[in-house]
Amino acid sequence: MTSWPREERNITLRSALVFIILIITLFAVASCQLAEKRCASPLVSSCEECLSRGPECAWCFQKSFMDGAHVGERCGSAARLLLKGCGEEFVENPSVKVENTTLSSSQVTPRDISIQLRPGSEASFIVEVKQLERYPVDLYYLVDVSASMQDNLDRLKTVGVTLSHRMKEHSSDFRVGFGSFVDKPVSPYIDVNPSKISNPCSDYDVHCRPAHGFIHVLPVTENMTDFKQVIQQQRISGNMDTPEGGFDAMLQAAVCQKDIGWRPEAKHLLLVMTDQPSHLALDSKLAGIVVPHDGRCHLVDNMYSQSANMEHPTIGQLAEKLLENNIYSIFAVDQMQYKWYEDVVDFLPGTYLGKLLPKASNLTNLVVDAYKKLLSEVGVEVGVEDSEAHRFWVRVSAICPNGSTETNGRCSNVQPKQTVFFNITVGMRSCPAEGLRSGQEVLLMVRPVGFNESVTVRVQQACGCSCGEAGPYHEEPEPSSCMSGGGPAAERGLMDGCREERSGLVCSGRGICSCGGCVCDQSSLGTIYGQFCEKDDFSCAYEGGLVCGGHGQCVSGECLCQPGWSGESCGCPMSSESCLSRDGSVCSGQGKCVCGKCVCDDPRHSGAFCEKCPTCSNSCQSHWSCVSCHVSKGFGRDEAQQCNKSCTSLVAYVDDITELVRGKYCLYHSREQCFFRFHMELETHGPQLHISRHAECVLSQRYFKTFLSIFLLTLVLGLGILAVIRQLLRNKSWTLGEESSEQFDDSNKSPSYAPTTSEKTITYRRDHLHEHPVEMHVHVPKMPLSDIWP
């Protein structure tokens, strides 16, 4: 009874095992079939195309291999080609290789690695990073000296030496340097009034130093006396907007290594003290600065000379330069700005963020704690040449001293003398479309963050083939000029014989390469010829239904244009007459003449001559806020300076604005039903505004005249109506009087119901015409109703 379930269990396990093996087999067969399908494609016509389809593809260049079959049959897996009869020595199948050329170093091992990759393949290698015990340390103070940093600057004068003594407990050789920054010394970041440029604090009876982008004050030194004297000499400066130019100064402190005095063997700490956020890239467009930062050092007499000419660096650019120059960044920022920097430092490798308490009371502990934490975190960054980065991918995992594996490529709590192992995998997606040849190198740099050593990875690209690439195909791989036994140089020479520099394609894509020479294809459309099969007599471009647009001749597949015409189809006139605007300028000075038509530089411009721009800065409405500010200040000289925040133009006041000829006239309507005239004139440095001091209140006068006219008209109509009513009542009274005299014989006797007369006074007053009211008296006789309605 008990053996039956055990046998049933064994049968079930065997069935499951068979099922799993069957699934694995089917999966392997499906994978092989998929790989064969990807390699053996009728679209493959050369060895180079075959190898680019995947690492499992190989090419057979044996001459007698599958006679009469399509050339694509020469591409397949190495095993499949061998089964079809291709000799092993004729199979082109580059393998993946990894070679370490240097083995040891004080901190990073190895220092140089060579790998060979082909499209779709990958290679892995190990990099060891060892944490030393007591590094030499260079600490550079980069301090915001704007007016709001006065207390922190005073505190730094007292704690600087104390910090130096504390750091010597953790370093065998400690040195310090100092630099300061504020902001770009241009409007609107600073007040450009001459008195404010020399002394930004003149309104407060305080003598401040001029604003500056970055000043390098003291190179890193071990002389603490010099450092203390420099700190004591520092004075505050001032600017107008809230953000400062911290990132601009950081990049200069990172790349100007000789000026700063960074030592190659030391740890580089950049301490940034500020209480405000930093300007980012593109912010400088507010000041008309559009030149991107070039990432280079521009110190002239220890001052950043390009502060007013180049944009602020991008965060990615700053991160690259900090990593490239092995710099740890320590941000000591005000508590109010902590959140802003917290969102930014994630993009900057090797960065520590700390809250700076009032008067920098915790500065010493903050720097010491940051140094300990930065050294306890070990990570690497892998960089590929920018032009080739899209063709490679990198994966990094870290094996930490505690045995854990971190996929983010970083280990924490690493102690001195411990080693972190980084498993780095590099994969190649594709071969270059043009330019690089098989055997040429692409460099990758593996940089441990904050370390002054790095690993150079040289990637050899297996993108070419031997002479069997297209034929003739050899029965034996005997040495000849058609074989690649000469190494990469010989191979490149063979490929150069079949590749035109202009197109970069083998035989222009219209032939096969045979041992350094092209054999051109046959075409039913005409003849293909030339050294690189680049010429023909049928494929010139058409323009307007005519070959070469009727302005040239077709020679060897290219149009040779007549004088005055250009372009692939000779359809572009070289003259710019069709682009001349009414004023005689090309495209109104706002674009370029391309093929006889205007192409506007600014997308806001439109029209046949780029003459239209409804949203440009010269629209009247864009300057209303500026004019409103000056009107509200009463055109006073001192108060008008407060309007700089809403004005991006130079403003002047005039009494007679009609004297201005060039430019555009505009109106600004005030709240008092008046308007002010102002005039815009575009100058090279921006729009120039002239505002009339005199308001024109035509609206109030017009309303008064309208009101007076309506009042007089109403009065006249009322008097006319009253006169008509009075006349009608008089006529009625006369008629009633005659009827009553006929009914009574004794006219002298008063009847008992004789009509009585009542008097009603109606008063009309006319404003502005009479000082006293005019009274009118209307007498209405009273009579019985029976006399009126019998």
Side-chain angles (χ1 to χ4, degrees):
M1 296 293 294
T2 58
S3 62
W4 172 253
R6 185 179 302 168
E7 293 178 358
E8 183 178 353
R9 210 164 34 244
N10 293 337
I11 295 175
T12 303
L13 290 175
R14 292 195 200 97
S15 301
L17 183 60
V18 171
F19 179 75
I20 292 174
I21 294 175
L22 179 62
I23 292 297
I24 294 175
T25 304
L26 291 176
F27 181 77
V29 172
S31 300
C32 292
Q33 291 178 349
L34 183 62
E36 292 296 338
K37 185 177 180 180
R38 182 164 57 247
C39 297
S41 170
L43 301 178
V44 176
S45 60
S46 66
C47 174
E48 189 177 50
E49 293 180 5
C50 176
L51 298 185
S52 66
R53 300 186 72 86
E56 65 277 4
C57 298
W59 178 265
C60 179
F61 57 87
Q62 186 175 359
K63 180 179 180 181
S64 60
F65 179 72
M66 300 185 67
D67 286 337
H70 187 271
V71 67
E73 293 294 330
R74 294 182 175 273
C75 184
S77 65
R80 177 174 175 271
L81 294 178
L82 293 176
L83 290 175
K84 286 185 174 182
C86 182
E88 184 176 359
E89 64 275 17
F90 298 104
V91 176
E92 186 80 25
N93 186 25
S95 59
V96 176
K97 300 177 182 178
V98 178
E99 296 179 355
N100 297 339
T101 56
T102 57
L103 300 178
S104 62
S105 176
S106 59
Q107 300 178 81
V108 181
T109 303
R111 297 293 301 276
D112 201 304
I113 297 177
S114 296
I115 62 177
Q116 177 176 291
L117 294 176
R118 54 180 296 186
S121 64
E122 62 183 48
S124 299
F125 52 90
I126 300 294
V127 173
E128 302 178 17
V129 179
K130 185 177 181 180
Q131 189 71 280
L132 301 182
E133 187 171 5
R134 290 175 61 85
Y135 290 94
V137 174
D138 292 340
L139 174 63
Y140 190 81
Y141 289 84
L142 186 58
V143 181
D144 175 7
V145 293
S146 57
S148 57
M149 286 287 291
Q150 177 67 70
D151 292 341
N152 293 330
L153 187 60
D154 293 340
R155 180 63 178 174
L156 181 61
K157 296 177 181 179
T158 61
V159 303
V161 178
T162 304
L163 175 59
S164 301
H165 290 306
R166 283 285 305 276
M167 285 299 299
K168 287 184 178 180
E169 300 176 3
H170 305 279
S171 171
S172 58
D173 184 5
F174 181 74
R175 298 184 181 184
V176 293
F178 185 86
S180 65
F181 70 91
V182 182
D183 208 340
K184 290 186 177 294
V186 293
S187 177
Y189 307 124
I190 67 169
D191 192 334
V192 294
N193 186 289
S195 61
K196 294 295 184 65
I197 292 178
S198 58
N199 181 16
C201 308
S202 58
D203 292 342
Y204 306 99
D205 296 329
V206 177
H207 185 66
C208 293
R209 63 194 300 188
H212 52 274
F214 169 63
I215 295 181
H216 170 49
V217 181
L218 178 68
V220 290
T221 178
E222 58 185 359
N223 191 332
M224 299 309 300
T225 302
D226 292 346
F227 177 75
K228 187 175 181 180
Q229 290 178 353
V230 165
I231 297 297
Q232 295 295 332
Q233 295 171 358
Q234 296 306 306
R235 291 182 291 110
I236 62 171
S237 181
N239 61 327
M240 295 186 64
D241 62 337
T242 298
E244 315 292 4
F247 288 171
D248 220 0
M250 286 180 66
L251 190 140
Q252 291 301 301
V255 299
C256 299
Q257 291 204 6
K258 293 183 179 179
D259 300 274
I260 303 300
W262 298 118
R263 292 176 294 171
E265 71 278 6
K267 287 291 183 182
H268 303 158
L269 301 183
L270 182 61
L271 174 60
V272 182
M273 294 179 58
T274 183
D275 62 347
Q276 297 296 343
S278 176
H279 279 295
L280 302 175
L282 304 183
D283 283 359
S284 50
K285 293 187 183 298
L286 295 173
I289 302 174
V290 297
V291 178
H293 204 294
D294 60 4
R296 299 179 181 177
C297 176
H298 295 283
L299 286 185
V300 177
D301 295 332
N302 292 328
M303 290 192 65
Y304 178 31
S305 61
Q306 297 298 316
S307 180
N309 301 324
M310 287 187 179
E311 287 188 349
H312 296 277
T314 64
I315 295 180
Q317 191 176 28
L318 178 60
E320 179 183 358
K321 295 304 177 181
L322 292 175
L323 182 63
E324 182 180 319
N325 294 278
N326 313 310
I327 292 179
Y328 288 115
S329 301
I330 303 175
F331 286 96
V333 302
D334 184 79
Q335 297 186 45
M336 298 295 294
Q337 306 301 332
Y338 186 84
K339 177 59 179 176
W340 189 91
Y341 281 94
E342 190 176 30
D343 295 335
V344 172
V345 296
D346 290 339
F347 301 98
L348 300 177
T351 302
Y352 179 86
L353 177 61
K355 295 181 181 178
L356 191 64
L357 297 181
K359 297 184 179 181
S361 57
N362 66 328
L363 180 61
T364 300
N365 293 332
L366 188 151
V367 175
V368 174
D369 293 343
Y371 176 74
K372 292 180 180 179
K373 186 175 186 302
L374 289 173
L375 260 65
S376 67
E377 291 189 356
V378 180
V380 297
E381 296 284 341
V382 182
V384 188
E385 295 179 28
D386 293 340
S387 60
E388 307 297 329
H390 64 284
R391 300 195 297 107
F392 294 88
W393 57 266
V394 180
R395 183 174 62 248
V396 181
S397 61
I399 304 174
C400 302
N402 59 6
S404 63
T405 301
E406 301 293 338
T407 57
N408 60 358
R410 180 179 302 176
C411 292
S412 302
N413 300 320
V414 179
Q415 301 302 316
K417 299 184 179 181
Q418 290 184 338
T419 301
V420 179
F421 297 90
F422 293 95
N423 184 15
I424 302 176
T425 302
V426 179
M428 180 176 170
R429 293 189 176 94
S430 62
C431 284
E434 57 184 24
L436 291 176
R437 306 290 189 267
S438 177
Q440 287 192 343
E441 296 179 347
V442 174
L443 296 182
L444 281 73
M445 299 301 296
V446 180
R447 293 188 177 93
V449 178
F451 286 72
N452 53 14
E453 297 178 4
S454 59
V455 181
T456 301
V457 181
R458 308 177 189 276
V459 181
Q460 302 285 339
Q461 303 176 92
C463 291
C465 300
S466 63
C467 184
E469 176 182 352
Y473 304 103
H474 302 278
E475 290 297 338
E476 297 180 2
E478 57 187 7
S480 70
S481 60
C482 292
M483 299 303 293
S484 59
E491 183 178 347
R492 286 194 297 269
L494 292 173
M495 296 300 296
D496 289 341
C498 296
R499 195 187 304 269
E500 186 182 19
E501 293 183 359
R502 182 173 56 183
S503 66
L505 298 175
V506 175
C507 298
S508 302
R510 304 191 297 181
I512 58 176
C513 183
S514 176
C515 292
C518 287
V519 178
C520 301
D521 296 336
Q522 300 294 322
S523 175
S524 59
L525 300 176
T527 304
I528 301 175
Y529 61 98
Q531 180 181 356
F532 307 103
C533 303
E534 78 280 11
K535 300 179 181 180
D536 61 61
D537 56 3
F538 58 86
S539 62
C540 283
Y542 282 70
E543 180 77 19
L546 299 176
V547 177
C548 299
H551 303 293
Q553 295 181 346
C554 181
V555 178
S556 300
E558 293 184 356
C559 287
L560 298 181
C561 302
Q562 297 174 356
W565 295 88
S566 63
E568 182 182 2
S569 57
C570 301
C572 292
M574 300 179 67
S575 173
S576 60
E577 293 182 2
S578 59
C579 298
L580 295 180
S581 54
R582 293 182 178 179
D583 59 358
S585 61
V586 176
C587 300
S588 304
Q590 303 294 334
K592 299 179 180 64
C593 190
V594 179
C595 284
K597 296 182 180 180
C598 285
V599 177
C600 303
D601 295 333
D602 192 329
R604 296 179 298 174
H605 288 271
S606 60
F609 304 100
C610 301
E611 75 279 9
K612 300 178 182 179
C613 187
T615 60
C616 287
S617 61
N618 61 346
S619 63
C620 295
Q621 189 174 359
S622 64
H623 297 284
W624 281 0
S625 60
C626 177
V627 178
S628 175
C629 179
H630 285 275
V631 170
S632 63
K633 300 299 181 182
F635 305 108
R637 178 177 299 177
D638 297 332
E639 291 82 3
Q641 295 180 359
Q642 303 176 10
C643 299
N644 289 339
K645 296 182 179 179
S646 60
C647 293
T648 59
S649 336
L650 298 177
V651 179
Y653 307 138
V654 295
D655 293 323
D656 187 5
I657 201 167
T658 59
E659 296 179 353
L660 303 175
V661 179
R662 298 181 58 186
K664 181 178 181 180
Y665 288 93
C666 300
L667 295 179
Y668 168 74
H669 296 271
S670 65
R671 298 180 180 177
E672 294 77 17
Q673 303 300 328
C674 300
F675 66 87
F676 290 83
R677 296 183 183 272
F678 65 96
H679 177 270
M680 294 187 304
E681 181 179 356
L682 294 180
E683 300 290 349
T684 56
H685 55 274
Q688 175 82 33
L689 292 185
H690 294 85
I691 305 175
S692 175
R693 292 189 177 93
H694 305 293
E696 301 181 30
C697 301
V698 296
L699 291 179
S700 60
Q701 297 176 5
R702 185 177 67 187
Y703 289 152
F704 174 76
K705 293 178 181 179
T706 304
F707 171 77
L708 184 60
S709 300
I710 295 175
F711 174 78
L712 292 176
L713 179 61
T714 304
L715 182 61
V716 171
L717 290 176
L719 292 175
I721 292 173
L722 290 176
V724 172
I725 294 175
R726 181 180 181 182
Q727 186 65 32
L728 291 176
L729 292 176
R730 283 183 178 180
N731 294 338
K732 188 66 176 180
S733 176
W734 292 341
T735 304
L736 292 176
E738 292 176 358
E739 291 178 359
S740 62
S741 62
E742 293 176 359
Q743 292 178 3
F744 296 96
D745 295 333
D746 190 1
S747 60
N748 298 324
K749 183 179 179 181
S750 299
S752 58
Y753 49 87
T756 62
T757 302
S758 63
E759 182 177 280
K760 184 176 181 180
T761 301
I762 302 175
T763 302
Y764 295 89
R765 183 173 59 197
R766 302 177 62 185
D767 295 339
H768 305 293
L769 297 180
H770 300 284
E771 296 181 356
H772 302 287
V774 177
E775 297 184 359
M776 296 184 62
H777 302 277
V778 180
H779 297 277
V780 181
K782 294 183 180 180
M783 58 192 68
L785 296 176
S786 60
D787 292 344
I788 301 175
W789 293 286

